[in-house]
Amino acid sequence: MSNADQSTDVSEGSSGDEYAVSVPEGRGRDRDADGAASTIIESRDLSVWYNDNQALQSVSMEIPEKRVTAMVGPSGCGKSTYLRSINRMNDLIDAARVEGEMLFNGKNVYDDDVDPVALRRRIGMVFQQPNPFPKSIYDNVAYGLRLQDRTENLDEKVEEALRKAALWDEVKDQLDESGLDLSGGQQQRLCIARAIAVDPEVVLMDEPASALDPVATSKIEDLIDEMAEEYTVVIVTHNMQQAARISDKTAVFLTGGELVEFDDTEKVFENPENDRVEDYITGKFG
Amino acid sequence: MSNADQSTDVSEGSSGDEYAVSVPEGRGRDRDADGAASTIIESRDLSVWYNDNQALQSVSMEIPEKRVTAMVGPSGCGKSTYLRSINRMNDLIDAARVEGEMLFNGKNVYDDDVDPVALRRRIGMVFQQPNPFPKSIYDNVAYGLRLQDRTENLDEKVEEALRKAALWDEVKDQLDESGLDLSGGQQQRLCIARAIAVDPEVVLMDEPASALDPVATSKIEDLIDEMAEEYTVVIVTHNMQQAARISDKTAVFLTGGELVEFDDTEKVFENPENDRVEDYITGKFG
Amino acid sequence: TSNTGTETDGGLSGDINISGSSTVFPLAVAMREDFTAEEMHPNVDISVNSTGSGGGFTNYFCTGDTDFNNASRPIKGVEEGQCSDNDVTPVELKVATDALTVVVNNDADWFGEEGKECLTVEQLAEVWSAEDKPTTWSDVNSDWPDEEIQLYGPTDASGTFDYFIEEVIGEEGSHRTDYQSTEQDNQIINGVANSEYAIGYMGFAYYSENTDRVTALGIDNGDGCVKPTLDTASSGEYQPLSRPLFTYPAQSALAEEHVAEFARFWLENSTSESIVADEVGYVPNTEDERDEMLDRLDSAIEAASE
Amino acid sequence: MSGSYDGFGRVSRRIGKLFRGVLFASTLAGILTLAVLLVYVANDAFQPLTADPGWHLVFLLTLVVPTLATGWLSYRRSYGTLATGLLGIVMPGIAALYAGGLAALFIDVIPTLVWLSFVIALAIPAGVIVALRRTDRSVPFLAELSAVLGVTVGSLLVVPGLVQGLPTVPADWMVLVLTLGLPEAFLLGRWIEGRWGRRDGWIAGAAILVGSAVGGVVGMVSGFGAVPGVALTLFALVPTGLYAAIVVRERPDRRIGLLLPAVIVVGMVAGELLVGALGFAGPESWVDWSFLTSTTQSGDPRSVGIYSGIVGTILLMFVVAAIAVPAGVGAAVYLEEYAPNTRFTRIIDVNISNLAGVPSVVYGLLGLGLFVRYGGQPTGTLLVGGATLALLVFPIVIISAREAIRAVPDSARQASYGMGATRWQTVKNVVLPRAFPGILTGTILALSRAIGETAPLLVIGAAQVFGVPDSWTSTIGAMPLQLYVWASTYASPAFYTTVLAAGIVVLLTAMLSMNSIAIYVRNHYEQR
Amino acid sequence: MSGDGATDGLTRRTQNSSRELLAKAFFFGCAALSVATTLSIIGLLVYEAAKFFTISAPLLGIDGPTATLTEFFTGSEWGLQGPNLGVMPLVAVTLMVTIGSGLIAIPLGVATALYLSEYASERARSYLKPALEILAGVPSIIYGIFAVAYITPVLDTLFGVDGLFNVASACIVVGIMILPMVASVSEDAMQAVPDDLRQAGYGMGATKYDVSTGIVVPAAASGIFSSFILALSRAIGETMAVTLAGGSLARSFDPTSLASYLSLFDPDSYLEPGMTMTAAMIQLLTGDVTGGGLAYRSLFAVGLVLFVITLGMNVLSDVIARRYQEDYQ
Ligand SMILES: Nc1ncnc2c1ncn2[C@@H]1O[C@H](COP(=O)(O)OP(=O)(O)OP(=O)(O)O)[C@@H](O)[C@H]1O
Ligand SMILES: Nc1ncnc2c1ncn2[C@@H]1O[C@H](COP(=O)(O)OP(=O)(O)OP(=O)(O)O)[C@@H](O)[C@H]1O
Ligand SMILES: [Mg+2]
Ligand SMILES: [Mg+2]
Ligand SMILES: O=P([O-])([O-])[O-]
């Protein structure tokens, strides 16, 4: 009943931010201190339709390199759609149609000469449900490397990716066993290892912890924190606390596919410019 | 954005019941005034299992005749299970097992000599999704009467039921058209007409308005109000306001299948005895 | 049992495809059996298709698909034309003599007393002619039962059918079509055996295997009633329905040793009482006939291998 | 009203009960009719009543009673135990059936030397592929493809001739030990190594190899035949032993189930010895060794056999599978993984479901016109028959493969595409492996449909008396065709109730064994 | 960081690599093969049949005998000697088999579907469904032998049939053969009826009988109906069983007279032999086919009629089935 306990303080509440999410001290700061990072992904007036139904409305935003950028917003507001339009996963949906620009290292990924497959090799992705292949742990991690024919030193690369995903110690004796035999949290870390094994520049994560228990979630959060040393991480989450804990920048989408606020995480959670954002963050709807 | 607007007053809130649901003036009173109604349905230590999973825990409660009794509670708490055990619809689920008693007019409906089919002819039922038969409107309403071979004056009885369900004026010229061609709200009223055509003593309703838009919902609520003149209505709802608006008595179930509070609606919403009920009603979880 | 042991060495090998007459079919199958026996040529694969003489010529043999075509009548001019269009040269070899047999049900008692059942050629023609098709037996002879005639016979692709038209109905007349027609002559026997008012006709071999199931009618060609037997057929008494049976190898196929060898084997055994008469049920060739045919074969083989 | 119980009454269920009874009877009507017909067929085929009563008594005592008792005991322990035992009977039975078919192929159709030469010829390009994979990765695809194709073609052109020209060649059964036993030993050894460890893997591999050689020698010495000896060892004894080993090691709780097959084998042997000793005559079954192995065709029911039909059917199935499976799966992959949602795709869609409903005799006409009349092929050959039947099952394969592919969860595809896999890489690495069991099931069911088809073969001009084919262009027969010929050409009551009944038993056994394999594969993988 | 060259690799066209194109081309080719199959069926049947008819044959360089469309579609006799080229006698017997087998398969099939969908326990279903699949899987040649060897003798003792062949035994075995198709397609339709509707019925105090007959069957009607059409189309195309059981007697049938249509419903006429379209094709093939001759060409004309009928029925059943799938999503 921790749920109920937690919320009882509302009745005694006095100020407007009982619900407000506190941003952990020191988070973001150490990286933000060295000035603004350069932009790796930038969308300009990006709109996405599914058939006649608009899921994103002219979204413009700049995602900084080697930072964690969180996207929050109520269900159906288009967070996943935005994420998937970065590495053109929306191409796989017949109904989807994109307008506007999505720049990756300054190049519009929707240009005709861009190969989405090559794009995705540089932008990794982790999904909501852990989805390891029904292959051995080793083969899961090696999958992307083999796709790209980068099979020299395979063993080392697999080990390195598993270490980075904080999974090596747990699985090093069972690399030949099926990835499906791992626990949910381990599976998700395996998926992360799989994604980073090919050394992508960006890792996109769509609610990577929402199917996991609290312990596994906290491991993943720690991992994301570490990943930002080397990679640009863009993460969709439903959990405000999580966004506050792990991200440097936060984008808030609202129903209809509008980006209503995008700023440093601290700023968004503590002093949002938009009232609707404040309402949303304090849990008044959504 | 009425949703957002509505909840902004939380931040200015001062007392513990910003969220509390107000019970409309005069509701319940006019009927309660003439003293306690007699009990038509009574459960005694009713427990229900689905296989090894207990869905109701020793629920005892008395449902008054010709009143509206609402059941509320979080998802999965056993409301539907309780409702369906009144007219033994749970018999149709192989996994379900019932212990304890469910008295209807003093007779335990789980006695061996009770024929569930005969029982259901006296206790009508309306479901969450409007589910008219793929027959004409007329045949939908006449269905129960025909089952019981009560076909004298069929036309009149159909008309009467449709009138009671506040649908007659809208459909009187299209009685031969398929029930499926009606709008959602009309379909649900057709289902109510179908249920009351056979003159049941009790009408059970499982979230009858949750699939409908606000206008249709309010029509159904008005209808339930009128129905209580003649029938005993037991209604399951997720919507606190709705329960407060239309019911005389309210039963609150909590997760695990426990009945934690059962009293006059006014009492339950304004001054609940149980803290968890208060938390639930004020929307703090669930 | 011939296929599980070790391979016999020796013997010829290769495929032979045979099409044509259903009348000759049992004879061809018997020859195949003996030729491919363990101690002979087990590696020669012979397939036999019962298509009717005409069906075999026009659809299989003259298009070059088969090596032999059996026939219960001599090849027709048009067929020879078709063959030569495709560079197929048929070599006519007489292999036996048949008594085309008309059969009725064992319970049919109106054809005469037991053992002497008989029909005149005119009556036979009346039954089968398309002119004024009798529907009941009483239409043929008012003394006979007023029951519907059930007819079973070969299809129009068969030599038997052609021969029957020629000898019984007459060139100018035509054969009725409302009968059970089949290239599987056993179906005729079965049909007649199962139906009291049925009549059918086919090669003698099929009758000789079923003498207890159906009754063969004697045929009265004006000189009294003659029952079909091997004797009456070989003596020529059984008129007009005794006839020669042929097989036609394609001359070019005879260039292959196994084909030539099979043709020779067949001819050499065409005088065999035990195979041709006892096992199959036709009148064997006389030794003279055999020698004549062997000469013809040899010269064809010679021509083929040039 | 209030509080008083006035009775709810009862609603009459009489009509309902009657109705239910009628429905149930109707459900059973078709099944029972078939069952009765099959009992008649079995009676005609096996003639159980012609055996001495003593024979029945002996087998009742040695076989039936102990089997029932053991079965009941296993069932009492658990259903799984009984199932383990039943599988232990059915699996070796079916395996022996197919091993027999395989042996027949090597004895009659494929000369072992030719087989050996082709295995060697194909092993060379396979080695090249492996080598290419291992070494320098920078070979462009087209270069690699042409290299592999070139080596394959070259090797196929040169090597068979060389091998067949060798002065000394190994005996038939040795060739089988080399070409089939060695790979099987290697694969199963690897598999067992993964399961139970390195040592067991080696032991198993060696045992398989030695066992197959022993099987050959025993077969030769006993007169059973060396080739059947090897085939039976490799494809019936080894799987059976492996099955028993797995049960013993991994399912100790079900170990007792293995008693059932043991009791049956012992009971059969004991019964056979006893009736021999006591001089009781067995039934004059029409399904006997000579029926299964004789190629004789004549009007005498006692002398004919179905051997040519069996071999023809096996060969036809190879041709059908070789054509229809790649094409059908390919079409399914296109429709599920590649096809844009266009009008053309929808046309293909509708077209396939309609193709599945085209009468088989029309497919026969298609084969006749396409291959014989315009393709210039001779009538009734293995190639034409196989290709015609392949066209017939093509839509069935597509439909079942599509279902299997559709069942692959989308998350698996997403994961692959998200890693930067191309479509083909995703299909190859993710979609096809996961859809494989479903595709296999569908394929087997499609083949078991093809096994029973007669009309298309008749239409393309199959012969009525046929032998064992030995080349692509040999005229072909098949089991159902053989039945048709017996039922028409040799039609006499004697055939209908003797060899035809026996033929039905053989054909149905082949079909049902295929279906049961399909059902087993389906259930086995559905559980995962 | 994002200096020059950072976007180079993005334009590598992995999608159009020769490996991808080859794979795609192969898969497309396989799919196209299914269309090619249909087109060749239609093309071949039409082309060869055109050589059969008087109006089109000369255009295709045929100078042998031909048949006029009138002869073919209104002639009352089938037989290739002389002017008897009417296909209707064959169609009529085909129709008899369809009617007769439908009379067996439709009631039994719907009852089976209803039992499996509404009454049978999970366990009973798991035994009955495979058993029904076996009914459908037994090859038609075996059904043909059953008909001749076991069913005709029974019919003979019951009703007395003349000879070995009769349409009734063909109807019985074909009925058994198509029964599983009626049952499984109907059952699918019944399973697609939302459970909501059953609940509504039970909630009104309906018994299982009331729900099954009054709610499930009407709601699944279009699906059930489409199963009939599909199964009957299967019966029409059925070959070996009707060839063995029905015999090869071309009946005479005058398509211009009402009486001949009535005779299709005369029980006695079912005890006599009759040749269906498919049986006629087999008969032509096992003998009569004269390469390129009238018989050969007539074979394709009959095949075309058969194909058009079955295709039409398949399309119809598809359309109906789609309709009901739209009803309940
Ligand atoms: N494949 C699709 N086809 C059609 N519409 C889609 C598809 N995927 C998403 N949508 C619609 O687009 C809108 C945005 O969806 P999206 O998945 O991006 O939302 P989201 O913010 O990720 O929501 P959630 O938090 O529930 O995942 C929704 O209205 C959704 O219904
Ligand atoms: N048919 C069933 N089989 C097994 N378990 C069931 C079944 N129906 C309900 N349950 C379980 O019983 C519990 C109570 O379910 P019930 O439907 O009564 O809840 P509810 O209060 O009506 O919830 P909701 O508001 O979501 O409708 C739940 O845990 C549910 O999972
Ligand atoms: Mg999302
Ligand atoms: Mg509920
Ligand atoms: O089959 P036939 O002998 O009559 O040509």
Side-chain angles (χ1 to χ4, degrees), chain E residues 306-320:
Chain E
L306 179 68
F307 177 75
V308 168
I309 295 177
T310 52
L311 181 75
M313 292 179 74
N314 288 339
V315 170
L316 184 64
S317 106
D318 211 51
V319 168
I320 296 176

Side-chain angles (χ1 to χ4, degrees), chain E residues 45-64:
Chain E
L45 291 181
V46 170
Y47 182 68
E48 297 289 325
K51 294 184 186 165
F52 175 72
F53 292 111
T54 317
I55 45 165
S56 44
L59 303 175
L60 301 169
I62 299 295
D63 53 0

Side-chain angles (χ1 to χ4, degrees), chain B residues 125-160:
Chain B
M125 191 155 192
V126 176
F127 300 81
Q128 178 167 8
Q129 289 291 336
N131 54 2
F133 301 124
K135 300 173 189 264
S136 74
I137 293 173
Y138 185 96
D139 289 342
N140 261 285
V141 181
Y143 183 81
L145 292 164
R146 287 191 175 132
L147 275 187
Q148 301 183 23
D149 285 334
R150 287 157 55 186
T151 44
E152 344 74 76
N153 307 331
L154 201 55
D155 290 1
E156 284 160 36
K157 287 182 186 158
V158 168
E159 177 173 344
E160 195 192 327

